Amino acid sequence: MSYFKKQVGGKHYLNFKIQPMDFFIKNKIGKAEGDIIQYILRNKGSRKENLQKAKHIIEMLIESDA
């Protein structure tokens, strides 16, 4: 069985046509960028808070690139 067909602690990522981690690996997407995408896709918790978390990581990337 493929590890991409398994999820520990729920099934929310399995509902996507492409599992986020599979997408990140195949496209060589870094941790910070992957976290941003996952916060945007996340269905649990507050939508606003998840977007604020994504925005915070984006702000850190912008600041570290200066």
Side-chain angles (χ1 to χ4, degrees):
M1 178 174 133
S2 169
Y3 285 103
F4 291 103
K5 298 202 182 298
K6 174 184 176 182
Q7 181 179 336
V8 176
K11 299 203 181 293
H12 47 284
Y13 292 125
L14 297 176
N15 294 328
F16 293 114
K17 290 184 180 188
I18 301 170
Q19 235 201 75
M21 189 57 68
D22 190 23
F23 178 79
F24 303 153
I25 291 168
K26 287 180 178 171
N27 291 285
K28 297 179 173 67
I29 293 175
K31 166 101 171 90
E33 291 82 357
D35 285 351
I36 292 164
I37 294 167
Q38 283 188 279
Y39 279 129
I40 291 170
L41 296 176
R42 188 181 251 177
N43 287 326
K44 67 179 192 177
S46 162
R47 174 92 173 130
K48 183 176 180 179
E49 184 175 299
N50 289 328
L51 293 172
Q52 288 171 329
K53 289 177 181 182
K55 179 182 172 193
H56 181 228
I57 296 170
I58 291 168
E59 290 167 339
M60 287 189 287
L61 287 173
I62 291 168
E63 183 176 318
S64 68
D65 228 18

